[in-house]
Amino acid sequence: MIVKTKKYALDKKAYMRAGLKNVLKDQWWVILIALAISAMTFVVPSNWWWIGALIALTLYVLFWVIQFAGVTQLEQSKMLFEKLSYEIDSRQILIKLNSKQGMPMKWEQIKRAWIDKNQIVLVVNKAQLMLFPLNVFKTQNEIKFIETILKRKGLINSKGLREDLDLKISDQ
């Protein structure tokens, strides 16, 4: 089975949110460093430890926000935010600019994936994501098929968000 999506342009704000969520999920341990710095208050009593930890954590998050905002503005990544359609099967994801121009992406290039109530997110690397809003699929079966592929490839765990996905498709 080949799933053909509707042609759509990737939303820059959704890309930034998903990218930041991916980085924070991947690098959760940074919060532990901020807590360790804050714990220095018990060794050398001073409020500056809390302030320093908060500033460091804020700068870290701001760094990643700027990175993802920059990706949306770069000429090299302009193609990511154009209207594209996709053909997804168990071998590859075909990114199509039009009916004659396209680029295949093998499933081996995808590191991780997740499904939430609004979209399917495929993580290529720390700064490159592929987002598929659920409304670009024609039927619920297409979403279930993609979820099955992701499970077989080991990109998501076996528990799904079936209820949320059913609600989203029925709203259309």
Side-chain angles (χ1 to χ4, degrees):
M1 178 177 177
I2 297 176
V3 175
K4 295 181 180 182
T5 67
K6 299 173 189 172
K7 204 168 197 175
Y8 75 98
L10 185 58
D11 181 37
K12 293 179 180 183
K13 288 182 181 178
Y15 183 83
M16 289 173 53
R17 278 193 304 272
L20 192 57
K21 180 180 176 182
N22 178 52
V23 166
L24 293 177
K25 187 187 286 188
D26 193 36
Q27 297 184 354
W28 57 269
W29 47 267
V30 171
I31 295 170
L32 295 178
I33 294 173
L35 289 174
I37 293 170
S38 299
M40 289 299 294
T41 300
F42 299 114
V43 177
V44 179
S46 174
N47 287 335
W48 287 107
W49 292 111
W50 293 100
I51 294 168
L54 184 62
I55 289 172
L57 190 59
T58 304
L59 288 174
Y60 177 78
V61 171
L62 188 61
F63 168 78
W64 283 107
V65 168
I66 291 169
Q67 292 294 316
F68 289 111
V71 166
T72 64
Q73 304 299 319
L74 285 175
E75 187 66 32
Q76 297 95 322
S77 60
K78 181 181 170 188
M79 191 194 88
L80 283 174
F81 302 101
E82 290 180 2
K83 278 198 161 206
L84 300 170
S85 63
Y86 298 84
E87 290 183 7
I88 304 168
D89 62 20
S90 59
R91 295 173 295 134
Q92 67 185 6
I93 301 166
L94 185 60
I95 306 165
K96 296 181 77 172
L97 189 56
N98 55 41
S99 61
K100 295 182 180 181
Q101 293 177 314
M103 180 186 95
M105 177 174 275
K106 298 288 183 191
W107 283 106
E108 291 78 33
Q109 293 177 273
I110 307 298
K111 305 287 187 256
R112 183 173 55 248
W114 75 81
I115 301 173
D116 62 23
K117 62 183 178 180
N118 298 321
Q119 63 194 359
I120 297 172
V121 181
L122 306 177
V123 178
V124 179
N125 59 40
K126 212 181 279 188
Q128 188 179 5
L129 310 168
M130 296 175 72
L131 276 68
F132 298 103
L134 297 182
N135 60 4
V136 301
F137 300 107
K138 295 174 184 87
T139 66
Q140 178 69 28
N141 288 337
E142 290 180 343
I143 295 172
K144 289 178 183 177
F145 177 71
I146 292 172
E147 185 179 2
T148 302
I149 291 172
L150 294 174
K151 286 177 187 175
R152 282 188 197 151
K153 303 287 182 186
L155 298 171
I156 61 173
N157 56 14
S158 60
K159 69 173 184 155
L161 299 173
R162 187 83 59 219
E163 303 83 27
D164 292 339
L165 296 179
D166 289 337
L167 290 174
K168 187 66 177 175
I169 293 299
S170 64
D171 291 344
Q172 296 179 2

